[in-house]
Amino acid sequence: MTKAVLFTGPVLHGNVERMLGGLAQGFAALGVSASLLDVGRPDFADALRRKVEGGEADFFLSPTGLGLDLGAENNFFDRIGRPLVSLYLDPLVGYADQVFVPIRRRVVTTVSDCDLDYWGAVGGVPNAIRHLPHAATPGVGRGWAGRDIPVLFPATGGEDPERTRENWSRHGEKVAAELNAVLEVYLRVPLQPLTTAIGEVLGHRLDVKNPYAIHPYFVTLEVYLRRRARWRLLEALKGLPVCVVGEAWEAFAARHPGHGFEFVGPRPAFEVQNMMTRAKIVLNACTGFHGTHERVFDAAAAGAAAATTPTRWF
């Protein structure tokens, strides 16, 4: 039997560990045995070697860079001699330093189909990049009549997105104007890759095929667009019985008194999943270039109706 070792660690309120549990079930259905290994343990590297020497590891899977050796020479995973799958849950521009690490037996996956457009044109990428959408393990949810949460919205709030946009002035008048120009171009066709909009506005002075060159613009715009999508969705639902689970919604509540929502704050990932089994509708808000999001699949697996803002892939 093929054996996989999945790297885990304390990130995203336990959400990555929860998803890896589902992935292990998927591997088991394919006849692949999967075990979890915490990258935070002091003997992490030695534990990997022991698994290889003991015949317990035919390949490794690293989500969001957990356990990755960033060394370009004499890389640990080259020395250990087992294939590595680097699985990313957000657009790859934010992980360019990891994508460029030359590990011989490695494949990189992304949930964003838009990444394939961009990275296919980037030179010097040492490994294949593949699109791997989210999935979820079907569960046993309550019957419709027994679901006591009419609408559930698991998301992080943050400050008012327009305040975020106003603060672009801190980067200087020229950069703020460029960011606003890219935003205008992107919002005309909101399902296009953000990198396309950056190229249209800044291609005359930046090497857009260099992810390090566009990184500051991409990340700044992505933060704004994520917050904008969440705030706009919730603003459109004022007066409806929405339960919002997640941190940093204080600014929204102050901006919209009398919103009628129930803000319950952040919860561990497994608790959020349990709340989905009690919900009739689960909302998801993300950028149009994000590709897929686990929340849509988790909601369906929990027996709820998933409602999402559009992405190009969805």
Side-chain angles (χ1 to χ4, degrees), residues 135-142 144 147 273 276-277 279-284 293-307 314:
T137 303
V140 179
R142 302 185 183 188
W144 198 254
R147 292 176 178 261
Q273 187 66 20
M276 290 186 186
T277 67
K280 291 183 176 180
I281 300 172
V282 176
L283 304 175
N284 177 64
H293 197 288
E294 77 273 6
R295 193 171 299 123
V296 176
F297 297 88
D298 288 340
F314 281 138

Side-chain angles (χ1 to χ4, degrees), residues 37-300:
L37 185 64
D38 191 337
V39 302
R41 56 187 289 177
D43 64 339
F44 172 67
D46 289 336
L48 283 187
R49 291 191 184 93
R50 289 195 297 270
K51 283 186 174 292
V52 171
E53 292 167 0
E56 300 177 60
D58 293 306
F59 70 93
F60 304 116
L61 187 144
S62 163
T64 64
L66 287 175
L68 187 65
D69 179 5
L70 297 178
E73 298 181 5
N74 198 29
N75 189 277
F76 174 80
F77 292 99
D78 284 339
R79 299 198 308 273
I80 209 165
R82 293 291 187 275
L84 172 68
V85 178
S86 290
L87 184 153
Y88 292 94
L89 306 172
D90 291 295
L92 292 177
V93 170
Y95 299 95
D97 60 330
Q98 299 179 21
V99 174
F100 280 119
V101 176
I103 300 172
R104 287 192 295 271
R105 303 182 69 187
R106 181 193 188 202
V107 63
V108 175
T109 74
T110 173
V111 298
S112 173
D113 56 313
C114 293
D115 271 339
L116 302 186
D117 294 357
Y118 177 72
W119 288 88
V122 172
V125 180
N127 301 108
I129 295 178
R130 299 286 185 261
H131 181 223
L132 182 64
H134 283 94
T137 303
V140 179
R142 302 185 183 188
W144 198 254
R147 292 176 178 261
D148 60 330
I149 302 177
V151 184
L152 180 67
F153 186 29
T156 299
E159 70 173 357
D160 186 330
E162 295 314 312
R163 180 179 293 276
T164 299
R165 187 177 179 183
E166 291 169 2
N167 287 336
W168 290 349
S169 61
R170 297 176 181 175
H171 302 298
E173 183 177 343
K174 178 183 177 182
V175 172
E178 290 175 333
L179 287 167
N180 278 295
V182 174
L183 178 62
E184 182 179 344
V185 169
Y186 174 76
L187 291 178
R188 288 195 210 122
V189 188
L191 299 186
Q192 68 177 310
L194 180 57
T195 50
T196 300
I198 293 173
E200 183 173 333
V201 175
L202 300 175
H204 67 285
R205 75 170 191 84
L206 289 181
D207 179 6
V208 179
K209 294 180 181 179
N210 178 354
Y212 296 114
I214 68 169
H215 178 268
Y217 291 91
F218 187 99
V219 171
T220 301
L221 286 157
E222 185 185 27
V223 168
Y224 167 79
L225 288 166
R226 286 190 183 210
R227 288 178 182 164
R228 179 180 184 271
R230 294 165 182 163
W231 273 56
R232 285 168 66 90
L233 177 59
L234 208 52
E235 286 170 340
L237 299 175
K238 283 190 291 185
L240 295 180
V242 181
C243 175
V244 183
V245 55
E247 60 189 2
W249 284 103
E250 294 83 3
F252 182 96
R255 174 76 179 273
H256 298 285
H259 46 74
F261 305 138
E262 179 186 11
F263 292 98
V264 300
R267 294 288 189 273
F270 289 96
E271 185 176 338
V272 175
Q273 187 66 20
N274 288 334
M275 294 177 74
M276 290 186 186
T277 67
R278 299 166 46 200
K280 291 183 176 180
I281 300 172
V282 176
L283 304 175
N284 177 64
C286 57
T287 62
F289 53 85
H290 196 276
T292 69
H293 197 288
E294 77 273 6
R295 193 171 299 123
V296 176
F297 297 88
D298 288 340

